[in-house]
Amino acid sequence: MVSVPPLVAGIELGGTKIVCLLARGPDAIEDRVQLPTTRPEETLAGIERVLDGWGAFDALGIASFGPISIDHESADYGHITSTPKPHWAGTDVAKRLAARYDVPTGFHTDVVGAALAEARWGAARGLRDIAYATVGTGIGVGLIAGGLPVDGLTHSEFGHIRPDRLAGDDWMGVCPFHGGCLEGLAAGPAIGARAGKKGEDIAADDPVWDPVAHVLGQLCHTLVLTGVPRRIVMGGGVMVGNDHLFPRVRAAMVKSLAGYIALPEITEPGFVVPPALGGNAGPLGAIVLGAQALEGQLKTFTTL
C-alpha cells in the first residue's frame, strides 16, 4: 500500500514576491498563488487570506528571506532579524502563522528550502551534499551536508562575503552594510545600478557581466573550499534566464581555484547547474520544511 504524502501549505517569502503553494510534492500541486512583498502587516495579512481560503492542511512550511532567527530556544525564533529590507527587521513570521493555523510548522531560509527541494526532486536528486545559491534581489546559499542543513549559531550568509575583485574594478557596490560584498556587487539591484538599466534589458555581451561572473566565481570557489557540495545549484532571477552566465561562472571558479582542489568533478559542466524545479524550487522547499515538521524531524532530510 502506497502512503499519500501530507498536504502542506508552503510559503516562499522573498524580497520582492511571495509564492504560496498548496501541495504534496512537485507532481501534486493543488494551488499556487503569488503576491507582492510590501510592508510586513500588509504582506502577512495577504498570506493569511490565501491560507484561510485553502481551509485544512496537514502542515505549514515557511522558507524566508533573511537574516532570520532559526534557534528554537531563542526569544526571537521565527523572526526576520537584521535584514536590509526596509520595515522588515524584527518581524515575527513563523510564530504568528503557526499560532493562527495550529499545525506543525517548519521555518528556515529560502535557500535552505530550495536546497532541500532540489536535493529531493530536482537538479541534485540523489545527492546528500549540495549547495543551492540564489542570485536575485539578494544573494544567499543553503548548504546541505549528509542530508542535513548546515546550521550552527545561525544560518550561513555567504552573500555578504567580501570577494577578490576583478583587476581594475573598484565600483563601491550597493550593500548598505558592506558595500562591495557579493550581494552588493552581483545581486539584481547591484547589476541594475552598475548598468543603469534593468537586468532583462542588459545584452549577454554587455561588459557589466564580466565583474558579475568574476565575483560569482569567487562564491563558488568559497563553496568548494567548505568541502561540502558535490553539486552547486544556482538559481534566482539573475541566473535563471541568463544561461550565458553559467559557463562564465564555472570558468571563473576554476581559474580562481588554480588547481588547488584536484577533483575532476569540479571542472565538469554538471558541477555548477541551474535548478531543475525552476521558479518552484523555493516554494517546494517550503513544502519539504512543512513535511519535516509534521514528521517531527525539522532538520532531517529523507528521500521519498
Side-chain angles (χ1 to χ4, degrees):
M1 182 176 178
V2 178
S3 62
V4 177
L7 183 63
V8 180
I11 302 165
E12 182 193 26
L13 182 58
T16 57
K17 70 178 188 301
I18 300 102
V19 177
C20 301
L21 201 68
L22 184 66
R24 301 181 189 275
D27 299 321
I29 296 174
E30 297 195 6
D31 199 10
R32 186 183 194 274
V33 178
Q34 183 170 309
L35 305 169
T37 305
T38 56
R39 286 178 176 264
E41 185 55 42
E42 180 182 9
T43 299
L44 292 170
I47 291 170
E48 289 167 348
R49 283 192 294 272
V50 173
L51 271 59
D52 289 351
W54 286 342
F57 41 83
D58 301 312
L60 172 64
I62 306 163
S64 175
F65 72 87
I68 59 175
S69 176
I70 59 171
D71 181 0
H72 285 261
E73 304 304 317
S74 173
D76 67 351
Y77 167 74
H79 287 61
I80 293 171
T81 59
S82 57
T83 179
K85 185 169 180 59
H87 313 297
W88 279 85
T91 298
D92 175 13
V93 175
K95 286 183 178 179
R96 168 175 170 161
L97 294 176
R100 184 180 182 92
Y101 297 105
D102 193 26
V103 294
T105 300
F107 179 66
H108 216 299
T109 64
D110 48 1
V111 283
V112 162
L116 289 167
E118 288 290 338
R120 181 174 289 201
W121 296 304
R125 186 170 185 172
L127 299 177
R128 293 174 60 79
D129 312 300
I130 78 156
Y132 182 94
T134 186
V135 186
T137 304
I139 293 179
V141 175
L143 280 177
I144 306 296
L148 300 172
V150 178
D151 293 336
L153 177 64
T154 182
H155 54 81
S156 66
E157 281 288 353
F158 283 93
H160 293 272
I161 289 173
R162 299 181 188 273
D164 180 42
R165 301 289 293 274
L166 190 65
D169 179 23
D170 59 359
W171 189 62
M172 65 184 296
V174 299
C175 174
F177 289 91
H178 311 115
C181 61
L182 288 166
E183 185 169 297
L185 295 170
I191 297 169
R194 191 194 284 249
K197 53 184 151 180
K198 294 181 179 179
E200 58 265 31
D201 298 328
I202 304 173
D205 60 354
D206 193 297
V208 76
W209 294 116
D210 294 336
V212 171
H214 177 81
V215 298
L216 292 178
Q218 294 289 301
L219 170 60
C220 292
H221 171 136
T222 302
L223 292 173
V224 168
L225 295 184
T226 66
V228 171
R230 299 178 186 275
R231 185 167 298 158
I232 300 172
V233 183
M234 298 190 76
V238 170
M239 300 303 298
V240 175
N242 286 313
D243 292 344
H244 65 89
L245 276 176
F246 282 91
R248 297 168 76 171
V249 170
R250 290 187 205 106
M253 173 193 69
V254 171
K255 181 179 179 180
S256 182
L257 286 167
Y260 181 67
I261 304 296
L263 295 173
E265 299 98 309
I266 292 171
T267 61
E268 295 175 355
F271 184 71
V272 180
V273 300
L277 299 174
N280 272 343
L284 284 169
I287 299 300
V288 177
L289 289 169
Q292 289 181 349
L294 183 64
E295 295 160 4
Q297 299 174 345
L298 181 60
K299 293 187 177 181
T300 300
F301 173 67
T302 57
T303 56
L304 292 178

PDB file of all heavy atoms in Angstrom, residues 245-263:
ATOM      1  N   LEU A 245      25.655  33.027 -18.253  1.00  0.00           N
ATOM      2  CA  LEU A 245      26.438  33.208 -17.031  1.00  0.00           C
ATOM      3  C   LEU A 245      27.057  31.904 -16.533  1.00  0.00           C
ATOM      4  O   LEU A 245      28.140  31.922 -15.929  1.00  0.00           O
ATOM      5  CB  LEU A 245      25.574  33.807 -15.922  1.00  0.00           C
ATOM      6  CG  LEU A 245      25.405  35.322 -15.918  1.00  0.00           C
ATOM      7  CD1 LEU A 245      24.446  35.739 -14.811  1.00  0.00           C
ATOM      8  CD2 LEU A 245      26.750  36.016 -15.738  1.00  0.00           C
ATOM      9  N   PHE A 246      26.390  30.783 -16.746  1.00  0.00           N
ATOM     10  CA  PHE A 246      26.872  29.536 -16.158  1.00  0.00           C
ATOM     11  C   PHE A 246      28.280  29.154 -16.607  1.00  0.00           C
ATOM     12  O   PHE A 246      29.147  28.895 -15.755  1.00  0.00           O
ATOM     13  CB  PHE A 246      25.867  28.407 -16.400  1.00  0.00           C
ATOM     14  CG  PHE A 246      24.686  28.471 -15.475  1.00  0.00           C
ATOM     15  CD1 PHE A 246      23.545  29.177 -15.841  1.00  0.00           C
ATOM     16  CD2 PHE A 246      24.717  27.869 -14.232  1.00  0.00           C
ATOM     17  CE1 PHE A 246      22.462  29.265 -14.978  1.00  0.00           C
ATOM     18  CE2 PHE A 246      23.636  27.957 -13.362  1.00  0.00           C
ATOM     19  CZ  PHE A 246      22.508  28.647 -13.737  1.00  0.00           C
ATOM     20  N   PRO A 247      28.577  29.095 -17.916  1.00  0.00           N
ATOM     21  CA  PRO A 247      29.964  28.765 -18.290  1.00  0.00           C
ATOM     22  C   PRO A 247      30.964  29.804 -17.818  1.00  0.00           C
ATOM     23  O   PRO A 247      32.110  29.463 -17.484  1.00  0.00           O
ATOM     24  CB  PRO A 247      29.914  28.667 -19.825  1.00  0.00           C
ATOM     25  CG  PRO A 247      28.669  29.390 -20.232  1.00  0.00           C
ATOM     26  CD  PRO A 247      27.711  29.225 -19.104  1.00  0.00           C
ATOM     27  N   ARG A 248      30.557  31.056 -17.751  1.00  0.00           N
ATOM     28  CA  ARG A 248      31.478  32.108 -17.295  1.00  0.00           C
ATOM     29  C   ARG A 248      31.767  31.984 -15.803  1.00  0.00           C
ATOM     30  O   ARG A 248      32.901  32.170 -15.356  1.00  0.00           O
ATOM     31  CB  ARG A 248      30.897  33.476 -17.634  1.00  0.00           C
ATOM     32  CG  ARG A 248      30.737  33.687 -19.137  1.00  0.00           C
ATOM     33  CD  ARG A 248      29.907  34.906 -19.472  1.00  0.00           C
ATOM     34  NE  ARG A 248      30.663  36.136 -19.293  1.00  0.00           N
ATOM     35  CZ  ARG A 248      30.211  37.328 -19.686  1.00  0.00           C
ATOM     36  NH1 ARG A 248      29.026  37.423 -20.272  1.00  0.00           N
ATOM     37  NH2 ARG A 248      30.932  38.407 -19.505  1.00  0.00           N
ATOM     38  N   VAL A 249      30.739  31.658 -15.033  1.00  0.00           N
ATOM     39  CA  VAL A 249      30.935  31.488 -13.592  1.00  0.00           C
ATOM     40  C   VAL A 249      31.794  30.254 -13.321  1.00  0.00           C
ATOM     41  O   VAL A 249      32.704  30.280 -12.483  1.00  0.00           O
ATOM     42  CB  VAL A 249      29.579  31.389 -12.873  1.00  0.00           C
ATOM     43  CG1 VAL A 249      29.759  30.961 -11.411  1.00  0.00           C
ATOM     44  CG2 VAL A 249      28.845  32.730 -12.944  1.00  0.00           C
ATOM     45  N   ARG A 250      31.510  29.148 -14.039  1.00  0.00           N
ATOM     46  CA  ARG A 250      32.331  27.941 -13.864  1.00  0.00           C
ATOM     47  C   ARG A 250      33.793  28.231 -14.184  1.00  0.00           C
ATOM     48  O   ARG A 250      34.700  27.821 -13.448  1.00  0.00           O
ATOM     49  CB  ARG A 250      31.832  26.825 -14.783  1.00  0.00           C
ATOM     50  CG  ARG A 250      30.495  26.236 -14.426  1.00  0.00           C
ATOM     51  CD  ARG A 250      30.197  25.015 -15.306  1.00  0.00           C
ATOM     52  NE  ARG A 250      28.774  24.791 -15.422  1.00  0.00           N
ATOM     53  CZ  ARG A 250      28.046  25.051 -16.499  1.00  0.00           C
ATOM     54  NH1 ARG A 250      28.616  25.551 -17.587  1.00  0.00           N
ATOM     55  NH2 ARG A 250      26.751  24.800 -16.511  1.00  0.00           N
ATOM     56  N   ALA A 251      34.017  28.923 -15.293  1.00  0.00           N
ATOM     57  CA  ALA A 251      35.398  29.235 -15.698  1.00  0.00           C
ATOM     58  C   ALA A 251      36.087  30.115 -14.659  1.00  0.00           C
ATOM     59  O   ALA A 251      37.263  29.912 -14.336  1.00  0.00           O
ATOM     60  CB  ALA A 251      35.401  29.915 -17.062  1.00  0.00           C
ATOM     61  N   ALA A 252      35.352  31.101 -14.119  1.00  0.00           N
ATOM     62  CA  ALA A 252      35.930  31.983 -13.104  1.00  0.00           C
ATOM     63  C   ALA A 252      36.262  31.201 -11.836  1.00  0.00           C
ATOM     64  O   ALA A 252      37.288  31.441 -11.188  1.00  0.00           O
ATOM     65  CB  ALA A 252      34.958  33.120 -12.789  1.00  0.00           C
ATOM     66  N   MET A 253      35.408  30.249 -11.473  1.00  0.00           N
ATOM     67  CA  MET A 253      35.663  29.412 -10.300  1.00  0.00           C
ATOM     68  C   MET A 253      36.919  28.568 -10.497  1.00  0.00           C
ATOM     69  O   MET A 253      37.793  28.524  -9.618  1.00  0.00           O
ATOM     70  CB  MET A 253      34.468  28.492 -10.050  1.00  0.00           C
ATOM     71  CG  MET A 253      34.684  27.465  -8.953  1.00  0.00           C
ATOM     72  SD  MET A 253      33.412  26.158  -8.951  1.00  0.00           S
ATOM     73  CE  MET A 253      33.832  25.288 -10.488  1.00  0.00           C
ATOM     74  N   VAL A 254      37.003  27.898 -11.645  1.00  0.00           N
ATOM     75  CA  VAL A 254      38.154  27.030 -11.911  1.00  0.00           C
ATOM     76  C   VAL A 254      39.447  27.836 -11.938  1.00  0.00           C
ATOM     77  O   VAL A 254      40.472  27.426 -11.364  1.00  0.00           O
ATOM     78  CB  VAL A 254      37.948  26.264 -13.238  1.00  0.00           C
ATOM     79  CG1 VAL A 254      39.223  25.523 -13.640  1.00  0.00           C
ATOM     80  CG2 VAL A 254      36.782  25.290 -13.103  1.00  0.00           C
ATOM     81  N   LYS A 255      39.411  28.996 -12.577  1.00  0.00           N
ATOM     82  CA  LYS A 255      40.603  29.848 -12.632  1.00  0.00           C
ATOM     83  C   LYS A 255      41.014  30.282 -11.232  1.00  0.00           C
ATOM     84  O   LYS A 255      42.207  30.286 -10.890  1.00  0.00           O
ATOM     85  CB  LYS A 255      40.329  31.069 -13.510  1.00  0.00           C
ATOM     86  CG  LYS A 255      41.524  32.002 -13.653  1.00  0.00           C
ATOM     87  CD  LYS A 255      41.200  33.182 -14.553  1.00  0.00           C
ATOM     88  CE  LYS A 255      42.408  34.122 -14.671  1.00  0.00           C
ATOM     89  NZ  LYS A 255      42.097  35.282 -15.549  1.00  0.00           N
ATOM     90  N   SER A 256      40.046  30.648 -10.415  1.00  0.00           N
ATOM     91  CA  SER A 256      40.340  31.123  -9.074  1.00  0.00           C
ATOM     92  C   SER A 256      40.911  30.011  -8.190  1.00  0.00           C
ATOM     93  O   SER A 256      41.836  30.235  -7.405  1.00  0.00           O
ATOM     94  CB  SER A 256      39.074  31.706  -8.433  1.00  0.00           C
ATOM     95  OG  SER A 256      39.338  32.215  -7.151  1.00  0.00           O
ATOM     96  N   LEU A 257      40.379  28.795  -8.331  1.00  0.00           N
ATOM     97  CA  LEU A 257      40.885  27.671  -7.539  1.00  0.00           C
ATOM     98  C   LEU A 257      42.316  27.303  -7.921  1.00  0.00           C
ATOM     99  O   LEU A 257      43.061  26.758  -7.108  1.00  0.00           O
ATOM    100  CB  LEU A 257      39.968  26.455  -7.704  1.00  0.00           C
ATOM    101  CG  LEU A 257      38.619  26.550  -6.973  1.00  0.00           C
ATOM    102  CD1 LEU A 257      37.683  25.457  -7.456  1.00  0.00           C
ATOM    103  CD2 LEU A 257      38.814  26.463  -5.471  1.00  0.00           C
ATOM    104  N   ALA A 258      42.680  27.574  -9.158  1.00  0.00           N
ATOM    105  CA  ALA A 258      44.075  27.420  -9.625  1.00  0.00           C
ATOM    106  C   ALA A 258      44.617  26.014  -9.401  1.00  0.00           C
ATOM    107  O   ALA A 258      45.801  25.834  -9.093  1.00  0.00           O
ATOM    108  CB  ALA A 258      44.971  28.456  -8.943  1.00  0.00           C
ATOM    109  N   GLY A 259      43.754  25.013  -9.544  1.00  0.00           N
ATOM    110  CA  GLY A 259      44.207  23.636  -9.423  1.00  0.00           C
ATOM    111  C   GLY A 259      44.366  23.134  -8.004  1.00  0.00           C
ATOM    112  O   GLY A 259      44.813  21.994  -7.792  1.00  0.00           O
ATOM    113  N   TYR A 260      44.003  23.952  -7.016  1.00  0.00           N
ATOM    114  CA  TYR A 260      44.230  23.555  -5.620  1.00  0.00           C
ATOM    115  C   TYR A 260      43.392  22.344  -5.219  1.00  0.00           C
ATOM    116  O   TYR A 260      43.869  21.464  -4.520  1.00  0.00           O
ATOM    117  CB  TYR A 260      43.939  24.736  -4.688  1.00  0.00           C
ATOM    118  CG  TYR A 260      44.184  24.404  -3.235  1.00  0.00           C
ATOM    119  CD1 TYR A 260      45.479  24.159  -2.772  1.00  0.00           C
ATOM    120  CD2 TYR A 260      43.134  24.311  -2.333  1.00  0.00           C
ATOM    121  CE1 TYR A 260      45.711  23.826  -1.444  1.00  0.00           C
ATOM    122  CE2 TYR A 260      43.354  23.991  -1.006  1.00  0.00           C
ATOM    123  CZ  TYR A 260      44.643  23.750  -0.566  1.00  0.00           C
ATOM    124  OH  TYR A 260      44.874  23.424   0.745  1.00  0.00           O
ATOM    125  N   ILE A 261      42.119  22.304  -5.632  1.00  0.00           N
ATOM    126  CA  ILE A 261      41.280  21.134  -5.380  1.00  0.00           C
ATOM    127  C   ILE A 261      41.286  20.303  -6.657  1.00  0.00           C
ATOM    128  O   ILE A 261      40.592  20.605  -7.625  1.00  0.00           O
ATOM    129  CB  ILE A 261      39.844  21.543  -5.002  1.00  0.00           C
ATOM    130  CG1 ILE A 261      39.859  22.490  -3.804  1.00  0.00           C
ATOM    131  CG2 ILE A 261      38.997  20.313  -4.702  1.00  0.00           C
ATOM    132  CD1 ILE A 261      40.392  21.876  -2.533  1.00  0.00           C
ATOM    133  N   ALA A 262      42.091  19.248  -6.663  1.00  0.00           N
ATOM    134  CA  ALA A 262      42.330  18.477  -7.895  1.00  0.00           C
ATOM    135  C   ALA A 262      41.308  17.356  -8.045  1.00  0.00           C
ATOM    136  O   ALA A 262      41.651  16.162  -8.050  1.00  0.00           O
ATOM    137  CB  ALA A 262      43.746  17.926  -7.891  1.00  0.00           C
ATOM    138  N   LEU A 263      40.056  17.726  -8.157  1.00  0.00           N
ATOM    139  CA  LEU A 263      38.981  16.766  -8.351  1.00  0.00           C
ATOM    140  C   LEU A 263      38.336  17.026  -9.704  1.00  0.00           C
ATOM    141  O   LEU A 263      37.890  18.140  -9.979  1.00  0.00           O
ATOM    142  CB  LEU A 263      37.928  16.903  -7.245  1.00  0.00           C
ATOM    143  CG  LEU A 263      38.387  16.550  -5.816  1.00  0.00           C
ATOM    144  CD1 LEU A 263      37.297  16.900  -4.811  1.00  0.00           C
ATOM    145  CD2 LEU A 263      38.735  15.070  -5.731  1.00  0.00           C
TER     146      LEU A 263
END
